[in-house]
Amino acid sequence: MLQFVALLVAFATFYTATVAHYTFPNLIHKGIQYPDYTYIRRTWNYESYWPLFDLTSPVLRCFTNGTVPNPGTLTVSAGDTVGFTVGGRIVHEGPLLFYMARAGFRQSAASMSGSGEVWFKINETRPYITDVPAKLERQKWPHYNASEVHIEIPSCLPTGDYLLRVEHIAIHIAFDEGQHEFFGACAQLRVVNGGNGVPTPYTEFPGAYQSDEPGLFLDVHRPWSLPEQYEVPGPPVWTC
Ligand SMILES: *[C@@H]1O[C@H](CO)[C@@H](O)[C@H](O)[C@H]1NC(C)=O
Ligand SMILES: *[C@@H]1O[C@H](CO)[C@@H](O)[C@H](O)[C@H]1NC(C)=O
Ligand SMILES: *[C@@H]1O[C@H](CO)[C@@H](O)[C@H](O)[C@H]1NC(C)=O
Ligand SMILES: [Cu+2]
């Protein structure tokens, strides 16, 4: 009986960690899905799948903590589409965001830390606006239940080394301040065939988000949380 209970507890823990939460382990480019954390920095939660709550933690930058086995850097062209697999599925309500940061002088995608005001946003998902029910629940989010997510590298992005940061913010229990769950990862890219775009504005991680801002502190289950009024956290999206 004790053994049975232990097994149940073990199963419940596994279920919570891996079924209810998610990671972004594989990069996809031109139809090839690369092995786990080949071009993506291995995240702090790669085994636990646990969400990050602390908006002031440097872990928010690339979702890494401690030793990260050195990943490679994938060469892509500006304008290419790059994907991330979802370890698990995106099983919470909330927006999906993509940011990039360029490597500084004498840095590479592999050596850059991503600290400072170096990040610009290249995409964010808004909730669908439909008539009923006028709430922000699951069916309102374009990436709900997704097993892969994709992003186009801006075609005018200058040639260079970059980190590409994917982020999903779960707000299903954000009716209590601080109960926003952050999931994400950074891929290391060398962008070629670039253009003359000038990304703006820049932000930093940690620092981009406040736990009491409207997009992170709201009750998605209430009718007054209208999809058209949802304010996606972070700076505006930069486009070419
Ligand atoms: C990151 O690592 C530090 C030091 O090992 C630890 O105190 C902290 O709890 C870790 N944070 C996360 C989110 O894992
Ligand atoms: C953001 O990505 C979606 C696909 O998920 C795409 O339809 C949309 O055009 C993109 N927005 C920008 C500004 O690139
Ligand atoms: C998620 O997608 C899978 C595969 O397409 C499907 O079997 C499952 O029912 C979906 N789950 C939800 C909650 O929509
Ligand atoms: Cu959760």
Side-chain angles (χ1 to χ4, degrees), residues 205-216:
F205 297 105
Y209 305 138
Q210 307 302 322
S211 64
D212 62 354
E213 66 178 270
L216 295 178

Side-chain angles (χ1 to χ4, degrees), residues 44-59:
W44 75 284
N45 64 344
Y46 77 105
E47 286 178 318
S48 71
Y49 287 45
W50 204 243
L52 183 72
F53 292 91
D54 184 0
L55 300 183
T56 66
S57 168
V59 175

Side-chain angles (χ1 to χ4, degrees), residues 33-126:
Q33 179 181 318
Y34 294 97
D36 288 17
Y37 304 107
T38 305
Y39 296 113
I40 297 171
R41 295 184 178 181
R42 195 177 76 187
T43 55
W44 75 284
N45 64 344
Y46 77 105
E47 286 178 318
S48 71
Y49 287 45
W50 204 243
L52 183 72
F53 292 91
D54 184 0
L55 300 183
T56 66
S57 168
V59 175
L60 186 63
R61 202 170 289 149
C62 274
F63 299 87
T64 61
N65 196 12
T67 314
V68 178
N70 204 17
T73 298
L74 183 69
T75 299
V76 303
S77 284
D80 280 0
T81 294
V82 168
F84 292 82
T85 62
V86 180
R89 277 176 187 269
I90 294 180
V91 289
H92 287 321
E93 296 91 328
L96 181 77
L97 305 86
F98 289 94
Y99 292 85
M100 293 186 85
R102 188 173 182 179
F105 183 60
R106 289 192 178 163
Q107 290 179 342
S108 65
S111 72
M112 67 188 286
S113 70
S115 64
E117 293 207 343
V118 295
W119 295 93
F120 52 95
K121 191 193 268 178
I122 58 167
N123 203 300
E124 64 185 22
T125 49
R126 293 205 48 79

Side-chain angles (χ1 to χ4, degrees), residues 30 129 148 176 233:
K30 294 199 182 296
I129 299 171
E148 289 179 6
D176 284 328

Side-chain angles (χ1 to χ4, degrees), residues 96 98 122-125 142-143 150-152 237-239:
L96 181 77
F98 289 94
I122 58 167
N123 203 300
E124 64 185 22
T125 49
H143 292 93
H150 297 267
I151 179 70
E152 188 185 308
V237 172
W238 169 70
T239 55

Side-chain angles (χ1 to χ4, degrees), residues 21 92 172 181:
H21 290 131
H92 287 321
H172 59 299
E181 300 182 349

